[in-house]
Amino acid sequence: MDWSGREVSPHVSLEERIKEVNARVEAACDRSGRSCDEVNVIAVTKYVSAATMTSVLDSDLEHVGENRWQDAADKWSNLGDRGTWHFIGHLQTNKVKDVIGKFKFIHSLDRLSLAQELDKKAAALGLRVKAFVQVNISGEISKYGLSSEAVVPFLEQIRELEHVDVIGLMTMAPHEEDPEKTRPVFRGLRELRDRLNGQALTREPIVHLSMGMSNDFEVAVEEGATWLRLGSVLVGREEDFHWA
C-alpha cells in the first residue's frame, strides 16, 4: 500500500517511514506558510510491544503516545526513563493515579471530575499537569469530548485548579477516504482556540492543537496542528516489525 494508505508495509523500514512522514509534514508546512519547527510528531505505540517501542525510541522519535494504562504499564516499567510520554486516549478518573507523574501530557481532558482528580494527584506529587481539552468538533456520538459550546464554561470551572495547565485543544476528525473532507473539523478547532484566547479564559494563552492522524495529518498541519498523533503510517502494529 502506498504512503497515502492506512497500513504500513512490513517491507518498509522504520527509518524510511520517519523520512517519508517528515517529508510530508515539510510539504504541508510549505503549502501553508508554516515552519516545521511548529509541528511535533507523537509516535502512537499502542499496538506494539516494549521491545518494539525500544526500536521506536532508538530511532530519535522522542514523543510516544499510549491510549490505555493497561497496555502502557509494561512498556513504562521497561522504558519509563526514556522519551516523553503522552496519554492520548480516554482517561478514566480511577486511572489518574497510574498515569500521573509518568505522562507529561494528557490529551483527553473532557470533564470536571477528571480535571479535579488530576489537580488533586498532581498537588500531592508537587507537579503540574500539561493538558489538552478534548473537543468533539465533528459532533459524532461515538467520540469523546466537549461540544464547542461547552468549552467556555468548562474552562471557567477549572481555571482555579492550580496544578492543571491547559496548553491546548485536541480533536479527532471522522475517518474519511478523502482527507480533504476533514478540513472543516481541524479549521474549527483552530478557530475555537483563537476565540478562547480572545476571552483570556486560561492563565496562559492556549497555543497547541493536537489534531491529525495517519489518514489526515497533512490537512491538519495545513490548518495549524502543533501535535500529530501518528500510528499506522509511522509505527504500525507489532507484526510490521517482523522484518527487523
Side-chain angles (χ1 to χ4, degrees):
M1 184 174 292
D2 66 22
W3 282 105
S4 65
R6 296 183 299 277
E7 296 178 3
V8 174
S9 167
H11 304 295
V12 180
S13 71
L14 180 59
E15 182 181 30
E16 290 173 300
R17 298 174 211 170
I18 294 170
K19 182 178 179 180
E20 179 68 19
V21 164
N22 287 342
R24 290 172 65 181
V25 169
E26 183 176 355
C29 285
D30 287 344
R31 288 193 297 272
S32 52
R34 301 184 63 198
S35 167
C36 290
D37 293 338
E38 300 173 5
V39 183
N40 305 280
V41 171
I42 303 167
V44 178
T45 51
K46 63 179 179 177
Y47 292 125
V48 300
S49 66
T52 297
M53 193 174 182
T54 300
S55 298
V56 171
L57 290 166
D58 285 345
S59 66
D60 293 330
L61 288 170
E62 163 70 17
H63 298 275
V64 292
E66 290 285 328
N67 284 55
R68 299 172 70 236
W69 172 246
Q70 295 93 315
D71 299 327
D74 178 63
K75 300 170 195 176
W76 175 264
S77 66
N78 287 280
L79 298 164
D81 60 340
R82 299 189 58 190
T84 300
W85 292 57
H86 297 245
F87 196 90
I88 60 175
H90 180 68
L91 180 56
Q92 297 174 314
T93 305
N94 64 0
K95 295 298 181 184
V96 169
K97 64 183 185 302
D98 297 314
V99 307
I100 196 78
K102 301 179 179 72
F103 290 81
K104 184 173 181 179
F105 298 93
I106 305 294
H107 288 244
S108 49
L109 178 58
D110 62 355
R111 59 199 186 280
L112 179 59
S113 61
L114 178 58
Q116 291 171 330
E117 187 67 11
L118 286 167
D119 185 66
K120 176 182 174 182
K121 292 294 192 292
L125 294 172
L127 52 83
R128 304 178 76 92
V129 176
K130 296 182 184 296
F132 294 76
V133 173
Q134 184 170 355
V135 188
N136 187 354
I137 293 287
S138 68
E140 288 184 281
I141 297 174
S142 61
K143 286 185 167 56
Y144 291 106
L146 297 164
S147 67
S148 297
E149 296 75 22
V151 176
V152 168
F154 178 68
L155 291 176
E156 290 174 339
Q157 283 181 305
I158 68 170
R159 67 187 306 170
E160 300 306 320
L161 298 180
E162 296 182 0
H163 296 271
V164 176
D165 294 326
V166 174
I167 66 165
L169 304 178
M170 185 272 258
T171 200
M172 297 175 64
H175 179 82
E176 300 283 1
E177 290 300 318
D178 178 7
E180 184 62 30
K181 293 181 179 179
T182 65
R183 190 176 298 277
V185 174
F186 299 139
R187 180 175 296 159
L189 193 71
R190 171 171 52 82
E191 291 175 344
L192 175 61
R193 179 200 60 187
D194 294 345
R195 291 197 301 272
L196 295 173
N197 282 335
Q199 298 177 62
L201 295 165
T202 50
R203 285 186 290 270
E204 299 292 336
I206 298 171
V207 174
H208 293 288
L209 297 174
S210 173
M211 60 186 193
M213 300 169 68
S214 292
N215 191 58
D216 52 30
F217 70 90
E218 290 154 300
V219 177
V221 169
E222 291 171 359
E223 290 299 332
T226 63
W227 290 95
L228 306 173
R229 309 182 305 273
L230 303 184
S232 60
V233 75
L234 187 61
V235 179
R237 295 173 179 266
E238 187 66 22
E239 56 266 28
D240 295 323
F241 279 80
H242 286 175
W243 52 264

